[in-house]
Amino acid sequence: TTIDINGVDIQDGVLKLYDVAGRLIRQMPFNDHSIIIDREGLQKGIYFFTIENNGQRIANGKIITQ
């Protein structure tokens, strides 16, 4: 899955991926306007994510893996 971020100058980005119980599954740093989430190691189900830039949350959402 690729997430594109528009309208924000990403300098110190972090995507945090959580399971439905709220446990942090992955923390992925990035410095570009897109980030690729590799499905490897993820079970089928619903995951929630937050995107932070310089320590401030700029987006959130959910991903469903099949």
Side-chain angles (χ1 to χ4, degrees):
T1 300
T2 301
I3 297 175
D4 292 318
I5 302 165
N6 298 312
V8 178
D9 183 26
I10 302 296
Q11 297 174 3
D12 187 23
V14 176
L15 182 138
K16 295 180 181 178
L17 189 64
Y18 300 90
D19 65 11
V20 293
R23 293 180 295 242
L24 181 64
I25 302 297
R26 291 188 187 166
Q27 186 166 319
M28 303 164 34
F30 66 99
N31 291 313
D32 200 356
H33 289 283
S34 65
I35 184 167
I36 298 172
I37 301 172
D38 187 359
R39 185 178 163 210
E40 185 175 331
L42 294 178
Q43 306 242 344
K44 292 180 181 181
I46 299 172
Y47 295 89
F48 299 94
F49 67 87
T50 61
I51 298 174
E52 297 177 0
N53 185 38
N54 293 325
Q56 295 183 7
R57 183 182 301 176
I58 59 170
N60 58 15
K62 70 179 171 181
I63 297 172
I64 301 172
T65 60
Q66 299 181 357

